[in-house]
Amino acid sequence: MDAALERLVRRRAGGRCEYCRLPQLGSRAPFEIDHIIPRKHHGRTGAGNLALPCVYCNAFKGPNLTGLDPATGKITRLYHPLRHKWAYHFRFQGSTLIGRTAIGRTTIDVLQMNHPELVALRGILIAGGIF
Ligand SMILES: [Zn+2]
């Protein structure tokens, strides 16, 4: 990936995971740029298909594009950081993420955005005024 494209994606993300909003500052491992539509599904390496997930979201997203909405069991597409509005699909209740929509619930479930380790980390960052 060329350096200018990588800089653009990192700057656009504002130093936060584009899925769970974890600040890069709160993470031990540097965030890696990821294809929103994975290459295996013919996703392109361009600004319109690249996002900055944290290591947790990146690991659980993998090549997934959909999941089952835990409320309805219906196949639902995952949140797209560039096409969807974050606040429409998610909100925080303390350090826990709540899905406001089927897309929000499904993305939280597939990406395990409320993994106990991540919720605990958010709690520490909130207490420290970093989150
Ligand atoms: Zn994340």
Side-chain angles (χ1 to χ4, degrees), residues 49-112:
N49 189 43
L50 296 171
L52 191 67
C54 70
V55 290
Y56 300 93
C57 289
N58 198 10
F60 290 111
K61 180 179 174 292
N64 292 302
L65 295 170
T66 62
L68 300 178
D69 179 354
T72 65
K74 289 186 177 167
I75 293 174
T76 304
R77 65 183 301 172
L78 296 181
Y79 173 73
H80 189 300
L82 303 178
R83 293 188 189 149
H84 297 142
K85 293 221 177 295
W86 193 91
Y88 182 78
H89 296 285
F90 306 100
R91 69 181 173 84
F92 281 106
Q93 189 170 68
S95 54
T96 300
L97 258 174
I98 306 292
R100 304 170 83 121
T101 62
I103 286 173
R105 290 188 299 269
T106 303
T107 304
I108 289 168
D109 190 56
V110 172
L111 274 58
Q112 299 193 30

Side-chain angles (χ1 to χ4, degrees), residues 9-49:
V9 174
R10 288 188 184 280
R11 191 171 349 128
R12 186 177 64 197
R16 290 179 168 264
C17 171
E18 293 187 82
Y19 292 92
C20 76
R21 301 292 206 212
L22 183 73
Q24 171 81 69
L25 286 172
S27 172
R28 273 181 259 151
F31 295 176
E32 289 184 20
I33 292 172
D34 183 54
H35 289 74
I36 299 166
I37 310 249
R39 280 177 285 195
K40 78 178 282 187
H41 297 298
H42 312 292
R44 295 175 188 271
T45 301
N49 189 43

